[in-house]
Amino acid sequence: MSSNGLKLRGEVNIPGDKSISHRAIMLSSISNGKNIIKNFLNGEDCLSTIDCFKKMGTKVEKCRKNEVIIHGMGLRKLKKPIQNLDVGNSGTTIRLIMGILAGQNFESTLIGDNSIAKRPMKRVTDPLRLMGANIYGNEDANFTPITVNGGNLNGIEYNMPIASAQVKSSIILASLYANSPTKIIEKNKSRNHTEIMLKSFGADIDISGKEIYVKPVQNLYSEDIYIPGDISSAAFFIAGASIIEGSEILVRNVGLNETRTGILDVLKNMSGNFEILNKKYVCGELMGDILVKHSNLNSTTIDSKLIPRLIDEIPIIAVMATQAEGTTIIKNAKELKVKESNRISSVVSNLKKMGADIEEMDDGMVIKGPTKLSGCNIESFSDHRIAMAFSIASLVASGDTNIDNTRCVEISFPGFYDILKEITC
Ligand code: S3P
């Protein structure tokens, strides 16, 4: 129960999905014609993607608050940027754009912020080099600044060494430009928004289990896109309502693509109390409303197959686990170490400070609950998901919690604190 008697109640509209917003800008920019994108996420990461494509000649009109019109340049007609392409904090921008740049007939350089400078790019550089792209950069093009000299590409057969939608998507995008088909074999199924959206833009792409076949194309059609609410953002309120006694919230229009709903599977395993209403497909993506009520949670185990379906939700799942009865184990989650911060150590160090019974593992964490959390000074590590997860943790903690640099929530969820305030009563 919230130590100060507060609970979460009411209806919430979640901003558009970050992953889908990036893809909508990218595919629209390389399509032929005008694309209207509705419910676009105006978060800093997606604005970085817009900025990169503007520098390559894409005309972008911002209409109403969350509506963007993109006039596509065509698959091969992006222009060589005069300045470096700055991806800011966004891993999705840099990795997916590298796939598109690999197919362009010009050289361009990608830069980003201090966090991006520490994140590995070899996972994308390697397959793109196999396709024939020339890529240079720090430590054999593992780190920014990275220069991509695009041109003639060949199709490849690629067994993914890690489960990553960013890597998969980068290869898929490069495959559009190749002179022969590409086959990608996924390690574990990761989010498939690129595949879904590319099909609606007219790409020749087939999926069979963990195998993806992409044939090169001459053109992509233009397409209007409605973006569902981001389940990774909804997760903070879903978890909050689940652990705070007396809570009941209705989260509207959330994306329910099954490659993203691992958090709901976990909540079900933990005996969470939620219901999905009004399911419908929009632009090939399943969406619906989620009604969540407080419940007494049990522990759970989260392993490799589930990890890609909830990778961004692990910080808030760890917070939930501190309030659940029993031992929660999160394993095979080494990828957390190369996110916006090392999310294994960011979560463990902060939860330890709050008094949780949590142990750091090389590939995850073990949490024993339930524990009463105490307010303290929390480090966000300038990581948006850490700031939001611990804002929810502070609601079940006694005393005051201070989180540094909560401004970073602007990366993926502008308005997070306004919504939280609205539903806290
Ligand atoms: C994303 C894929 C995931 C996720 C990231 C967004 C995407 O990264 O963590 O926030 O939009 O494709 P990985 O592909 O590195 O797992």
Side-chain angles (χ1 to χ4, degrees):
M1 147 134 179
S2 153
S3 50
N4 37 26
L6 294 173
K7 40 193 181 286
L8 302 184
R9 295 187 79 86
E11 277 188 34
V12 184
N13 270 300
I14 298 291
D17 187 276
K18 179 157 84 70
S19 292
I20 304 180
S21 294
H22 282 299
R23 285 152 175 87
I25 299 297
M26 293 186 186
L27 298 194
S28 297
S29 296
I30 55 171
S31 74
N32 281 348
K34 177 178 166 184
N35 308 264
I36 303 176
I37 305 170
K38 293 194 170 146
N39 205 33
F40 174 74
L41 172 65
N42 273 308
E44 285 177 359
D45 269 8
C46 300
L47 297 177
S48 295
T49 294
I50 290 191
D51 183 60
C52 289
F53 280 92
K54 273 186 167 170
K55 284 184 178 147
M56 292 190 283
T58 303
K59 201 172 145 222
V60 182
E61 288 174 60
K62 289 201 107 195
C63 308
R64 268 161 262 136
K65 205 172 151 239
N66 298 311
E67 197 171 305
V68 180
I69 298 179
I70 304 275
H71 299 271
M73 301 282 288
L75 210 52
R76 291 173 177 80
K77 300 234 181 74
L78 292 172
K79 292 195 183 115
K80 179 176 166 58
I82 297 162
Q83 296 156 286
N84 290 338
L85 299 172
D86 188 349
V87 304
N89 189 247
S90 177
T92 308
T93 308
I94 187 164
R95 295 197 178 112
L96 270 61
I97 251 185
M98 281 173 73
I100 293 175
L101 294 178
Q104 307 299 319
N105 280 316
F106 55 74
E107 186 176 279
S108 50
T109 297
L110 292 151
I111 56 167
D113 69 6
N114 292 338
S115 151
I116 275 291
K118 292 188 213 121
R119 297 182 67 185
M121 299 300 148
K122 261 305 246 20
R123 49 184 59 202
V124 180
T125 305
D126 283 344
L128 294 179
R129 278 179 174 162
L130 286 176
M131 297 179 82
N134 292 311
I135 306 179
Y136 319 93
N138 273 341
E139 293 185 33
D140 197 19
N142 195 18
F143 300 106
T144 53
I146 286 185
T147 298
V148 182
N149 191 342
N152 295 331
L153 300 182
N154 49 272
I156 52 168
E157 179 166 328
Y158 196 68
N159 253 303
M160 303 246 320
I162 47 167
S164 162
Q166 293 179 351
V167 176
K168 171 180 66 172
S169 299
S170 188
I171 305 170
I172 292 176
L173 290 167
S175 308
L176 300 173
Y177 298 91
N179 56 19
S180 55
T182 286
K183 178 177 169 186
I184 303 164
I185 303 113
E186 286 201 82
K187 193 167 180 218
N188 278 309
K189 226 171 153 33
S190 61
R191 66 193 68 191
N192 59 1
H193 307 301
T194 307
E195 296 90 309
I196 292 175
M197 200 181 286
L198 263 177
K199 269 191 187 170
S200 69
F201 275 75
D204 193 341
I205 176 161
D206 278 315
I207 294 126
S208 164
K210 288 187 199 157
E211 297 183 350
I212 301 145
Y213 304 85
V214 193
K215 287 198 184 130
V217 281
Q218 284 312 310
N219 290 305
L220 294 178
Y221 313 137
S222 59
E223 184 71 20
D224 292 343
I225 304 162
Y226 179 87
I227 299 175
D230 196 329
I231 189 159
S232 298
S233 299
F236 300 105
F237 302 124
I238 294 171
S242 298
I243 59 178
I244 302 172
E245 228 172 82
S247 297
E248 175 170 340
I249 57 162
L250 180 66
V251 194
R252 287 207 181 276
N253 292 326
V254 185
L256 295 170
N257 177 321
E258 71 147 349
T259 62
R260 297 286 299 282
T261 48
I263 176 133
L264 299 181
D265 293 2
V266 163
L267 191 54
K268 199 168 165 197
N269 288 342
M270 295 177 89
S271 314
N273 183 350
F274 71 94
E275 222 180 307
I276 296 176
L277 311 162
N278 303 322
K279 277 193 194 175
K280 61 183 173 213
Y281 276 94
V282 178
C283 299
E285 293 280 354
L286 183 63
M287 56 190 273
D289 303 335
I290 310 175
L291 178 67
V292 194
K293 296 180 191 166
H294 164 262
S295 55
N296 295 317
L297 299 179
N298 300 316
S299 58
T300 189
T301 295
I302 302 175
D303 205 347
S304 21
K305 232 179 135 191
L306 256 179
I307 297 292
R309 297 182 53 232
L310 47 66
I311 185 75
D312 293 336
E313 287 66 79
I314 291 177
I316 189 61
I317 290 173
V319 170
M320 270 204 306
T322 66
Q323 304 307 300
E325 180 74 49
T327 304
T328 292
I329 301 168
I330 301 174
K331 55 184 173 186
N332 279 314
K334 266 196 177 159
E335 275 297 300
L336 289 176
K337 292 185 173 180
V338 289
K339 295 293 175 189
E340 286 82 331
S341 68
N342 175 341
R343 285 186 180 156
I344 298 183
S345 61
S346 322
V347 165
V348 172
S349 63
N350 279 324
L351 276 178
K352 262 195 184 151
K353 270 200 221 165
M354 295 186 96
D357 184 343
I358 183 165
E359 198 187 334
E360 178 167 348
M361 310 303 258
D362 185 45
D363 66 344
M365 55 195 90
V366 175
I367 305 157
K368 291 191 185 131
T371 41
K372 190 89 208 76
L373 300 181
S374 318
C376 61
N377 289 329
I378 294 291
E379 260 186 274
S380 69
F381 301 95
S382 300
D383 179 337
H384 51 130
R385 300 208 196 275
I386 298 296
M388 290 187 274
F390 282 88
S391 299
I392 298 297
S394 73
L395 297 175
V396 286
S398 59
D400 288 341
T401 300
N402 297 304
I403 307 173
D404 73 348
N405 184 21
T406 51
R407 214 212 132 260
C408 60
V409 305
E410 296 291 320
I411 292 285
S412 65
F413 199 162
F416 169 76
Y417 287 107
D418 296 331
I419 297 181
L420 186 58
K421 207 166 149 195
E422 258 169 48
I423 60 170
T424 305
C425 54

